[in-house]
Amino acid sequence: MGRIVELEAYIGQDDQASHARFGQTARNQVMYGPPGIAYVYLVYGMYDCLNVVTEPAGSPAAVLIRAVDPLEGMDRMRADRLAVEGRRRAARTDAGAALAGDRLARLPDQRLASGPGLVAAAFGLDRTWTGVDLCDPVSPLRLERLAADEVPDVDVRTTARIGVGYAGPDWAARPWRLAVAGHPAVSGPRSAR
DNA sequence: ACAACGATCAACT
DNA sequence: GTTGATCGTTGTC
């Protein structure tokens, strides 16, 4: 359990950074469905990324969850990350597995889900989670809204989205990445936090 | 059928 | 600042 501290918006077929830029396909079809549903995809052949579908059915859009500030269950997050990362070739040797385990044990809690691939790894998510209703209060993976008096008084900074240069200068420059200013769980270089 | 390319991360210089 | 790992999705032939 934790709080989302960084995300990116991908809105509509026109958005040349979005998976919907080629229209509806087998992979992105959940983006065309109702909002509040999980969309988990694989990037770079290695990392799963969690998105929340937004906008009404027929209007493809999603929000990529880029970083979470862990509040509870950090032991399980470490275990889930170890399970996910242990599958990779570099960690398949005894020495590699030991190294990965050491590194994880020393990792501060606030770095456990500090990046889109790490969010999915820390919560044990892969593509099979696509379609889960994140607004259902009994769902094993769900969003919860903070009560008004629990919302922390923080600055939210907007920047360009990360890793979308292929979209062209216009779409790549849109300030659709939102992050809690200065929060240690936010991903990327210190200058972008 | 095939080649190119990522909504990334960690290790290294 | 640079680079390798790794494979599903997509567009093209």
Side-chain angles (χ1 to χ4, degrees), chain A residues 76-165:
Chain A
R76 183 173 166 193
M77 291 183 190
R78 283 194 168 79
D80 282 337
R81 279 197 52 173
L82 200 57
V84 169
E85 291 161 19
R87 269 178 243 132
R88 300 211 257 275
R89 180 191 281 199
R92 265 183 239 154
T93 63
D94 287 348
L99 205 64
D102 277 6
R103 197 173 42 70
L104 250 184
R106 287 197 311 270
L107 196 64
D109 288 346
Q110 291 189 311
R111 297 261 102 192
L112 281 173
S114 180
L118 303 179
V119 169
F123 283 82
L125 308 176
D126 59 25
R127 286 162 295 163
T128 65
W129 285 79
T130 294
V132 168
D133 184 354
L134 300 173
C135 297
D136 183 337
V138 302
S139 172
L141 182 68
R142 60 188 181 273
L143 296 165
E144 291 179 2
R145 181 188 295 275
L146 287 175
D149 62 354
E150 294 175 325
V151 177
D153 183 23
V154 296
D155 290 329
V156 175
R157 174 179 309 192
T158 63
T159 73
R161 294 171 291 181
I162 309 266
V164 296

Side-chain angles (χ1 to χ4, degrees), chain A residues 3-7 67 69 152-158 177-187 192-193:
Chain A
R3 282 185 188 163
I4 296 168
V5 293
E6 179 188 357
L7 54 78
D69 180 18
D153 183 23
V154 296
D155 290 329
V156 175
R157 174 179 309 192
T158 63
R177 170 174 176 261
L178 281 67
V180 175
H183 196 290
V186 170
S187 72
R193 297 177 204 167

